[in-house]
Every structure is written in structure tokens, then in C-alpha cells.
Amino acid sequence: MTDEDAILIGEGVVLDSGAASVPLRMMSGAIDMIVTYAVLIVGFSMLERAGADLNDAWARAIAIAWTVACLVLLPMTVETLTRGRSLGRWAAGLRIVRDDGGPVSVRHAAARALLGVLELYATLGMLAVTVSAFGTRGKRIGDYVAGTYAMRTRGAKRALPRLAMPVGLEGWARTADITRLGDGLALTARMFLTRAPDMHAPSRVRVGTRLSQQFATHVSPPPPAGTHPEAFLAAVLVERRDREQRVEEERMARAERDGDALRRLPYGIPDAD
């Protein structure tokens, strides 16, 4: 595993992050740039036809506004709404995520879009390619500033195995009060449990203990005395997953019931059809 594919989680333990290679980033960036230039050109041609009656000052102002919208606002909005995707990244099987693996926010997207004007469009991508080639995890300058990187969503080495509830902790987990875990903390614990069998024993103990201490601040009451840290982590993650799945299933069922009610005629009058 190279440095570009690594996340250091503490105690010198390195986990696979699934970072995208530079060629994949080049391909996705080229697609996005082509689409952006096409939108720019179409907008300018429409402005030229519709702006015959405008004076030069208004025409320049509109042209500047359209350029900013295409180069900054459009990629920022798309990246925020799609949680790190774009047309080029969809085609290349990539997604922009935070350094801890969590989803990007508007703040991350704004920093990347603003610096992208310099890295991608002002230098035709040469600055971004150069920095990515010599940096870590294929990052460009915007990624370093925003604290993000491009993760592969297709073609990964393997999918993470499904966690199972540790024996003996089912009853405790069902009644435990689990507050919201940060996305980064949950992802780190999930990847740790996957890699734990291959880790050096002292590092495995230290990292497992440290993560379990962090998890303990989100869980009440604590697990039964003598519970192994890794079993505690697995139990919390499994119960968290199952609860979120139940909430989503209930939401979908409620939406289906509401849809049925909206489709029925009022006052219980049967449909003539």
C-alpha cells in the first residue's frame, strides 16, 4: 500500500483509504472541464445574441457573473448536493471525501472550487496534475486547503465484510443509549476492526483501547464488565447500523402510507374507476 492510499489513525497504524490514482483524477477532471467549458461557451453565445442592446459595461458585468457562476458556483453546488460527486467523478468512479472519510460540506466544496479556478482553468490543469503527482493521496492544492481527497467508489480492492453482533452483547446493545457518532470516528473504528487481525499485537491493543474510550463517551450505560474493546466497538457499530436501518424502513413505510392516503378520494368516497 502506498502513501497515497493510506490514513494514519494513530500509534503508527496505517489503513487503506481507497485514494484515487492521479490518472483517474486526470480523467475525471478532464471530463468536468470539458462540460464546464461547453456550458460557458453556450452561455456566452446566448449572451452575444441577447445582449445586442446592452452597453459594454453591462455586457462585461454579465459575462463576469456567468464565468464566476460556471467556474465556482456550479462545481461548488454540484459537489455539495451530490456529496462529492460530479459528472467526471461519476464516470471515473470517484467521490470527494474529507480526510477522515466523511462526506464533504459546502465549506469544503467552496474551498476546492475557488482554488480550482487557478489549478484547473487558469493553468489548464497542469498545476493540479503536478501537485497531485508529487503529493499524498493524489491531492491537489484545493484538497490540501479543504482537507479532502478523491476516494475510489468502484474498483476497490475488496468490500468491507458485514459486522455481526458479538455474542452476549445483544441485550445490552438493544437498551443502550447511543448518541451520534462522528462519521470520522465511526469510519476509523470500522476500518480498524477489518484490519485488526493483521496488525501488530501491541498496536492493536493500544488502538482498540483508545477507540473504545472514545466510543464510551457516546454510550450509556457502559458495556458489561470484562467486555473486550473490539467486541464493544463492533456491538456499537452493529446496533447503530440496525437502528438507522429501522428508522429508514419506518420512514419509507410512512411515506408509502401517506402516498396511499393522498391518492384516495376524500371522505371515504370510493373511486368510480
Side-chain angles (χ1 to χ4, degrees):
M1 178 170 43
T2 64
D3 290 340
E4 287 79 5
D5 278 332
I7 294 178
L8 186 66
I9 66 169
E11 307 296 340
V13 179
V14 178
L15 299 178
D16 181 17
S17 70
S21 63
V22 176
L24 277 178
R25 297 209 65 176
M26 290 175 61
M27 182 179 77
S28 68
I31 294 173
D32 288 336
M33 289 178 66
I34 291 172
V35 172
T36 302
Y37 281 132
V39 174
L40 265 174
I41 293 171
V42 170
F44 283 139
S45 63
M46 294 175 63
L47 175 62
E48 184 178 359
R49 289 195 298 268
D53 298 332
L54 297 176
N55 58 42
D56 292 341
W58 272 108
R60 283 195 297 269
I62 295 174
I64 292 173
W66 179 247
T67 302
V68 172
C70 290
L71 300 188
V72 179
L73 298 180
L74 178 60
M76 182 181 72
T77 302
V78 170
E79 194 165 286
T80 301
L81 295 179
T82 61
R83 296 295 187 91
R85 302 299 290 271
S86 67
L87 184 61
R89 292 183 210 115
W90 174 81
L94 306 180
R95 181 188 296 275
I96 299 298
V97 297
R98 301 195 310 256
D99 282 340
D100 61 10
V104 295
S105 65
V106 64
R107 175 177 62 85
H108 303 95
R112 285 173 40 78
L114 287 170
L115 286 166
V117 175
L118 169 65
E119 293 184 84
L120 302 176
Y121 300 102
T123 63
L124 294 179
M126 296 305 298
L127 180 58
V129 171
T130 302
V131 174
S132 297
F134 293 97
T136 58
R137 284 193 266 174
K139 289 187 171 191
R140 62 177 177 89
I141 297 175
D143 290 313
Y144 284 109
V145 173
T148 58
Y149 73 99
M151 173 185 283
R152 301 187 309 273
T153 58
R154 295 198 301 266
K157 295 178 181 178
R158 60 174 180 174
L160 293 177
R162 184 178 177 85
L163 286 178
M165 177 65 71
V167 177
L169 294 181
E170 300 91 342
W172 166 80
R174 280 196 299 269
T175 58
D177 181 16
I178 303 174
T179 61
R180 187 182 184 282
L181 296 173
D183 292 330
L185 178 60
L187 177 67
T188 300
R190 182 67 183 87
M191 298 180 73
F192 163 72
L193 292 175
T194 302
R195 294 292 302 275
D198 301 324
M199 292 171 57
H200 188 246
S203 294
R204 177 177 179 176
V205 172
R206 285 193 293 269
V207 175
T209 301
R210 178 173 60 83
L211 288 173
S212 65
Q213 291 171 349
Q214 294 176 349
F215 266 48
T217 63
H218 297 274
V219 181
S220 180
T227 299
H228 193 280
E230 293 178 21
F232 171 50
L233 296 176
V236 173
L237 290 177
V238 170
E239 182 62 25
R240 173 178 180 260
R241 178 197 67 202
D242 292 346
R243 290 182 184 183
E244 291 178 350
Q245 182 175 344
R246 287 195 294 270
V247 169
E248 181 63 18
E249 290 174 350
E250 291 173 0
R251 186 194 66 80
M252 294 178 64
R254 186 167 57 252
E256 185 175 353
R257 290 195 300 270
D258 292 344
D260 292 339
L262 289 173
R263 286 189 292 269
R264 290 197 298 266
L265 292 174
Y267 313 117
I269 300 175
D271 194 337
D273 293 337

